[in-house]
Amino acid sequence: MKVAGWLRRDAAAAWLFLAPSGAGFALFFLIPFAMGTMYSFMDSVVDGHYTGLDNYRELLQSGSFRKAAANTAYFSAVSVPLNLTLSLIFALLLNGNLYLRKWLRTAYVLPLVVPVASIVLIWQMLFDWNGSLNAWLSAFGLERVDWMKTDAARNVIIVVYLWKNIGYNVILLLAGLQRIPKDYYETAQIEGAGRLRQFGSITLVYLTPTMIFVVIMSIINSFKVFRETYLIAGDYPHDSIYMMQHYMYNMFASLDIQKLTAAANLMVVGILLIVMGLFALERRYRQFME
């Protein structure tokens, strides 16, 4: 009885401490999401009527939405594997006896603490028609590239995304590498396994859970690239970098809340399906390891 009473008091205290966070989450996230989902099935925000899936049908028939969805999917499909590969390479280098290792760790973390808005001016100066990159190309006898008004704009945004997110992933992967017991590598060396065999049979195997988490975070961050794209290219960028967030921003500017919420819901469903698939893959991996 004493234990039961103590557990009840402990639970009451826990709920008391969780109440402010729960109220904030409900007020700023849960309730607005529920209202947005409701608006996506109505013809108007004010005195609207239920229209079923009409907003979603119009959305899928919209050329601008399909273009934004295709660009976002392409960007995630290219940038996330690149991000994972480069992050893993840098984490492996930092995990070894690399020269200036401490300074390099600091360099990878800097993009996380520097505000993006203050760095955008540098990116604009670098990729402008009269910017530094085109000046270097001209110096080597190459033609200038209008980076932000051609399909090359997609490559610029991918570079900015990698610059911003690699540091965080390197920290996660480096922590995962340092958790792998050194005894495994010593045993593999005694048995004659080379570096490539050790990497495939030890490093990748025990780093898989961390890599899955890194992929999930990279996918989520790839859907949040609107801030950098907007600051560099403005409201209506080149067609190759017209993302889902651009579409939703323009719908908000025109007060078409129904299309905005419908697009947001479709994006949430897409992200959830990808994340659930990755979690299912991780569960199978754990069962295989057990």
Side-chain angles (χ1 to χ4, degrees):
M1 295 296 293
K2 291 182 178 180
V3 175
W6 179 81
L7 288 175
R8 282 196 296 270
R9 288 196 300 270
D10 191 58
W15 282 110
L16 183 63
F17 282 109
L18 289 173
S21 298
F25 177 78
L27 181 63
F28 295 105
F29 292 96
L30 188 60
I31 294 176
F33 180 77
M35 293 178 64
T37 302
M38 179 183 67
Y39 291 149
S40 69
F41 294 100
M42 301 176 68
D43 58 358
S44 176
V45 177
V46 180
D47 297 329
H49 301 283
Y50 177 76
T51 59
L53 298 176
D54 290 349
N55 290 324
Y56 291 91
R57 293 192 188 96
E58 294 180 11
L59 197 67
L60 295 176
Q61 293 172 359
S62 170
S64 57
F65 173 80
R66 291 200 301 267
K67 176 174 63 178
N71 287 338
T72 304
Y74 177 87
F75 176 82
S76 298
V78 173
S79 61
V80 171
L82 273 176
N83 194 2
L84 178 63
T85 303
L86 293 175
S87 300
L88 182 58
I89 292 173
F90 292 142
L92 290 171
L93 291 175
L94 291 177
N95 194 44
N97 295 322
L98 187 67
Y99 183 66
L100 297 177
R101 181 174 57 179
K102 293 183 179 180
W103 292 100
L104 288 174
R105 288 180 179 178
T106 304
Y108 290 133
V109 176
L110 280 179
L112 301 177
V113 298
V114 178
V116 175
S118 62
I119 301 297
V120 165
L121 290 176
I122 299 177
W123 289 104
Q124 289 176 340
M125 292 169 58
L126 183 64
F127 291 105
D128 189 73
W129 174 257
N130 295 315
S132 303
L133 188 55
N134 277 329
W136 296 335
L137 291 176
S138 298
F140 287 101
L142 301 175
E143 294 184 0
R144 291 173 178 262
V145 178
D146 196 352
W147 295 98
M148 300 311 301
K149 295 181 181 179
T150 60
D151 289 340
R154 180 179 289 161
N155 299 327
V156 173
I157 300 303
I158 290 175
V159 170
V160 174
Y161 167 81
L162 294 175
W163 171 83
K164 182 65 178 175
N165 294 280
I166 278 181
Y168 179 69
N169 293 341
V170 167
I171 294 173
L172 295 175
L173 292 172
L174 187 59
L177 287 171
Q178 292 177 349
R179 291 177 57 187
I180 302 175
K182 301 296 183 183
D183 298 342
Y184 295 168
Y185 294 102
E186 294 175 358
T187 304
Q189 288 177 357
I190 293 173
E191 294 181 355
R195 290 184 177 271
L196 187 60
R197 181 65 182 274
Q198 292 177 31
F199 176 75
S201 301
I202 299 176
T203 304
L204 285 182
V205 170
Y206 288 95
L207 201 61
T208 298
T210 305
M211 291 175 63
I212 291 176
F213 178 74
V214 167
V215 170
I216 292 174
M217 295 304 300
S218 298
I219 291 173
I220 294 174
N221 288 331
S222 71
F223 280 86
K224 295 161 57 179
V225 77
F226 168 74
R227 178 179 55 181
E228 291 84 355
T229 308
Y230 176 79
L231 291 174
I232 295 176
D235 296 351
Y236 292 92
H238 188 264
D239 285 350
S240 62
I241 55 173
Y242 185 78
M243 304 291 185
M244 283 285 293
Q245 294 91 338
H246 287 95
Y247 179 84
M248 290 187 287
Y249 176 83
N250 294 331
M251 290 299 102
F252 177 78
S254 61
L255 296 180
D256 196 345
I257 306 301
Q258 304 82 252
K259 297 285 181 56
L260 165 65
T261 52
N265 286 335
L266 288 179
M267 189 170 70
V268 168
V269 170
I271 294 175
L272 282 177
L273 290 175
I274 295 172
V275 172
M276 288 172 62
L278 290 173
F279 277 136
L281 181 64
E282 184 182 13
R283 284 195 299 269
R284 288 190 177 184
Y285 169 78
R286 289 181 177 178
Q287 293 174 357
F288 172 76
M289 290 298 293
E290 293 175 356

